[in-house]
Amino acid sequence: MDFFSYFCKVKSKIKKVARKMKNIVKTGILASLSALLMVACGPKSDIEGFDKTKSGLHYQFLSENGKGDKVKPGDVLYCECTLYLNEEELGSVVGDPEPLFKAEEQGNFQGCLNEGLLMMHVGDEAIFAVNADSLSQHGVKMPQKYQSGSGQTIRYKIKLHALKSEAQLKKDFEADMESRKNGEKAALEQYITENGISQAPTAEGLYVIPIKKGNGPHVEDGKTVEVNYTGRFLDGTIFDTSDPNEDPEAHETLKYVVGQQAMIKGWDMAIRNMCQGEKVRIIVPSELGYGAGDGRVIPPYSSLVFDIELLSVK
């Protein structure tokens, strides 16, 4: 992946932590209070307009807010950021501040970004220039125009809007999960009412609405089934389909051995009561679906709607 893809991956990992409270990415490396005390007496930077710490981090503050909260190890920084190779822009995340970086206590190379993060206050805007060779040596794939040994820098222009501790992120995450969980029932009831669904749910809460009857063999454990399906959120947005009528780029029909491939509980309950040729619409509450989400496509506590057509049972 190129350098901006790496940057976006960093951003994605931080967001994932905000959702799941784990794997907050380490974007900067090397920071300690003693290093910060050496900033004022660091060597002269060879980048015009920049200062330099003793560890080798080049920095330039565009605006400073000494009254803002100071970054501490463990803080997650909500900010805007633009990346450069020397002065050539690579990409940016601007507008609403995003949780892009986590400040660390220590790291593994001199002159890393983390030292700069710990110099900042909320309200500051600064540019930090990190030696590109050092980043490359620590596994970061560089942009196409990177030339090893040429003294190039990767520059981070950061505008810091807010800080959150890991404890606050955890609290926010738990509050968000509770809100989603409480809101699911109301959203499902609204969907049932607006769509005029009179079919009663099963005891477990699954809605199975017949669309077309079938007259072929019934599903049994060990049988191979072929299914054409479309999955939607309650707002009608399709998140997955094998039906080319719904999406010209739909993937192939789903084939699997019943009882040998793990499916969500609601799907499995429905398919075991079907026969070849039958088509149904099922409404699956999250407790029979993906629960707190699948971490990729399905948000936490989402009720889902599937149209399932059983093409064959063998």
Side-chain angles (χ1 to χ4, degrees):
M1 61 183 171
D2 60 23
F3 189 81
F4 188 58
S5 297
Y6 165 80
F7 172 66
C8 291
K9 183 179 179 183
V10 169
K11 171 187 171 184
S12 174
K13 285 186 178 180
I14 289 291
K15 285 185 172 181
K16 187 175 180 182
V17 172
R19 293 194 304 269
K20 294 190 173 183
M21 299 318 304
K22 63 182 181 179
N23 297 330
I24 296 182
V25 72
K26 295 182 178 180
T27 59
I29 318 169
L30 184 67
S32 64
L33 294 176
S34 60
L36 295 178
L37 293 174
M38 294 189 290
V39 168
C41 56
K44 184 177 180 180
S45 172
D46 56 1
I47 304 176
E48 185 177 355
F50 281 68
D51 294 309
K52 187 178 180 181
T53 68
K54 279 193 172 182
S55 71
L57 176 69
H58 304 263
Y59 66 95
Q60 178 187 53
F61 275 82
L62 305 177
S63 62
E64 296 185 72
N65 177 30
K67 295 182 179 179
D69 290 340
K70 185 82 159 42
V71 177
K72 304 181 298 299
D75 283 344
V76 173
L77 285 69
Y78 284 69
C79 51
E80 300 174 73
C81 181
T82 303
L83 290 179
Y84 302 85
L85 175 64
N86 285 350
E87 296 180 352
E88 181 178 345
E89 184 174 334
L90 300 173
S92 63
V93 177
V94 296
D96 293 334
E98 301 276 4
L100 297 180
F101 303 106
K102 180 191 174 187
E104 299 288 348
E105 183 101 31
Q106 293 182 336
N108 55 13
F109 74 84
Q110 296 284 308
C112 72
L113 173 63
N114 195 69
E115 183 178 6
L117 299 180
L118 286 168
M119 295 164 63
M120 298 190 76
H121 295 77
V122 172
D124 287 352
E125 184 174 14
I127 303 174
F128 302 104
V130 180
N131 182 274
D133 290 338
S134 295
L135 285 169
S136 179
Q137 291 165 9
H138 284 81
V140 179
K141 188 173 181 179
M142 290 292 103
Q144 188 174 4
K145 293 185 179 181
Y146 163 70
Q147 296 178 351
S148 177
S150 64
Q152 291 174 317
T153 59
I154 296 296
R155 303 183 189 183
Y156 302 75
K157 182 180 179 182
I158 298 173
K159 186 174 183 179
L160 179 57
H161 289 268
L163 300 172
K164 285 192 178 181
S165 65
E166 289 188 69
Q168 184 61 52
L169 282 176
K170 182 179 180 180
K171 184 177 179 180
D172 291 349
F173 170 76
E174 291 173 347
D176 181 58
M177 291 299 100
E178 188 66 21
S179 176
R180 290 175 182 271
K181 189 173 183 178
N182 292 337
E184 182 188 5
K185 183 178 179 181
L188 180 55
E189 289 176 350
Q190 181 178 349
Y191 177 87
I192 297 299
T193 300
E194 290 180 350
N195 287 273
I197 296 170
S198 58
Q199 188 82 20
T202 66
E204 296 85 359
L206 178 70
Y207 290 83
V208 182
I209 304 164
I211 296 177
K212 183 179 72 173
K213 291 184 178 181
N215 55 11
H218 286 266
V219 173
E220 297 177 9
D221 279 355
K223 295 282 188 178
T224 298
V225 297
E226 181 178 5
V227 178
N228 194 29
Y229 72 96
T230 298
R232 295 181 174 86
F233 297 115
L234 294 184
D235 66 2
T237 302
I238 294 174
F239 61 83
D240 193 15
T241 185
S242 64
D243 189 344
N245 293 318
E246 298 289 356
D247 183 352
E249 298 182 0
H251 53 73
E252 296 181 353
T253 55
L254 173 63
K255 294 181 181 180
Y256 70 98
V257 179
V258 177
Q260 294 184 17
Q261 181 170 330
M263 308 296 289
I264 60 171
K265 188 175 180 180
W267 174 293
D268 206 39
M269 291 168 60
I271 207 81
R272 288 172 184 271
N273 288 304
M274 294 178 68
C275 64
Q276 183 173 299
E278 188 175 356
K279 184 175 182 179
V280 299
R281 174 169 293 169
I282 62 174
I283 305 170
V284 185
S286 65
E287 61 185 317
L288 301 178
Y290 292 93
D294 67 350
R296 298 177 295 109
V297 177
I298 311 299
Y301 303 109
S302 296
S303 294
L304 305 173
V305 180
F306 289 95
D307 288 344
I308 301 174
E309 184 177 12
L310 187 53
L311 301 177
S312 68
V313 181
K314 297 179 181 179

